[in-house]
Amino acid sequence: MAIPSPEQQVEFLRKVQRLLSEGLFVASYKFALLRALADLAVLKGEDSDAELALHVNDIAGAVIELYWRQSRPFYPAGGQQAILKQNTGKQAAIIQTLASVQAEYRGSLPQLRHDLARWNGLVGKVADVICVMPLWKLQRIGDDVVDFLYPNVGKARTITLRPGVTYCLRNFYGLLRNLIEGAWLGYVRNLNLDVLGQTIDFAAFLFGTERTTLDGYRPILLDVQRGSCFYCRRPLTGAGDVDHFVPWSRYPVDLGHNFVVAHKTCNARKVDYLAAEEHLGAWAERNRLHGEALGRAFADASLPYDVSSSVSITRWAYRQTATAGGLVWVQDKTLKHLDPGWERLLAG
Ligand SMILES: [Zn+2]
């Protein structure tokens, strides 16, 4: 029985990482879809190189299972109950649909499943959303089609997992679950800070960044940037965001030289991307010219920094993106492939 080679398995994980770190998510559907595919691979697949055909109704059933709990009101300690938002615009349609039937079945998914006509109706409705939203968008990153999971045919009620995909989903199930759920959790948390703000956020407590300490870096960096945005070079009007040059989501560390100050809008556009070569060059140049002075200022303000670690992390992050053929952020909504010449910028 043929199975994917070790190299193919590594490549698979690399691509999943890329989907989670670079894919822009307007709703949490893509997380749910990825998780559903892993669940279905375990349920219906086998440990071989074989392809696996999945009907969108099967995917919809698995997606409903995932969203069922999440479409109930969340009760923050001492706060107002709310159904957590899972879309950057108005609430995600699947959540709305499920929330509207919760009461009827007293929150019981088995009861809903037992009502076969309703269940099938709901599966059909959710399947329609999946066909429009995440199914053909999951594997698009900017203009790139990274359809390593299934051919991105763009219109169909069935997908076929490519050879080796089912094997990888089954064999790395635990790892993938943690990856997907971690990314999903962070996504929902960011969309619901108003609701979750008053409660202790356990994940942030254990693994989050100490956001409060970043303010100390701002005046020091602004001095070197002469009051302009690091990315677009236009003057900063407000305070500006202290941005992790290598995004926190790529490597969670707060060290002085990894910070730049940017417009809120520039920072929001960059999201979790690495910045393009021109920005990398500017970052390296800033450290060449001002690295030592910055270090002294950070030390005076008792702010953590370590320029050689920052450079190592940056080199690592760009190499990861280069190896994966990933996209980097230029400005506004412009993304491009990382130029192979990036490595020279960090030399010396
Ligand atoms: Zn800017």
Side-chain angles (χ1 to χ4, degrees), residues 206-269:
L206 288 180
F207 304 116
T209 175
E210 298 282 347
R211 290 287 172 191
T212 48
T213 65
L214 300 191
D215 286 337
Y217 289 104
R218 188 181 288 108
I220 300 168
L221 296 165
L222 275 179
D223 199 27
V224 167
Q225 290 178 213
R226 295 168 190 279
S228 300
C229 170
F230 181 82
Y231 296 112
C232 72
R233 308 294 166 87
R234 285 196 291 270
L236 285 160
T237 39
D241 281 3
V242 177
D243 174 49
H244 290 82
F245 185 69
V246 171
W248 171 268
S249 64
R250 301 289 177 105
Y251 194 91
V253 72
D254 289 334
L255 289 173
H257 294 83
N258 188 42
F259 293 120
V260 300
V261 182
H263 288 114
K264 202 169 266 308
T265 46
C266 288
N267 190 17
R269 289 287 191 215

Side-chain angles (χ1 to χ4, degrees), residues 132-313:
V132 177
M133 291 292 292
L135 199 56
W136 312 116
K137 290 186 178 152
L138 173 68
Q139 303 180 100
R140 294 194 75 102
I141 302 174
D143 291 332
D144 279 5
V145 176
V146 192
D147 58 347
F148 66 105
L149 295 168
Y150 49 89
N152 213 53
V153 292
K155 204 173 186 184
R157 306 288 286 185
T158 304
I159 58 167
T160 304
L161 298 184
R162 292 185 187 279
V165 168
T166 308
Y167 180 91
C168 290
L169 289 173
R170 291 167 63 85
N171 281 274
F172 299 119
Y173 182 74
L175 177 68
L176 292 170
R177 251 187 80 171
N178 282 322
L179 276 181
I180 297 163
E181 288 177 8
W184 193 343
L185 187 96
Y187 178 84
V188 173
R189 180 163 55 101
N190 283 338
L191 279 180
N192 295 277
L193 289 174
D194 52 334
V195 177
L196 300 172
Q198 310 110 27
T199 67
I200 294 169
D201 184 332
F202 200 54
F205 175 72
L206 288 180
F207 304 116
T209 175
E210 298 282 347
R211 290 287 172 191
T212 48
T213 65
L214 300 191
D215 286 337
Y217 289 104
R218 188 181 288 108
I220 300 168
L221 296 165
L222 275 179
D223 199 27
V224 167
Q225 290 178 213
R226 295 168 190 279
S228 300
C229 170
F230 181 82
Y231 296 112
C232 72
R233 308 294 166 87
R234 285 196 291 270
L236 285 160
T237 39
D241 281 3
V242 177
D243 174 49
H244 290 82
F245 185 69
V246 171
W248 171 268
S249 64
R250 301 289 177 105
Y251 194 91
V253 72
D254 289 334
L255 289 173
H257 294 83
N258 188 42
F259 293 120
V260 300
V261 182
H263 288 114
K264 202 169 266 308
T265 46
C266 288
N267 190 17
R269 289 287 191 215
K270 177 169 169 267
V271 261
D272 289 339
Y273 287 99
L274 293 180
E277 304 86 79
E278 51 264 48
H279 303 306
L280 179 63
W283 182 80
E285 183 69 5
R286 182 201 72 179
N287 291 340
R288 244 190 309 278
L289 296 175
H290 306 288
E292 278 182 37
L294 283 172
R296 282 194 299 275
F298 295 147
D300 288 345
S302 306
L303 296 167
Y305 72 98
D306 176 348
V307 70
S308 70
S309 293
S310 289
V311 172
S312 299
I313 291 164

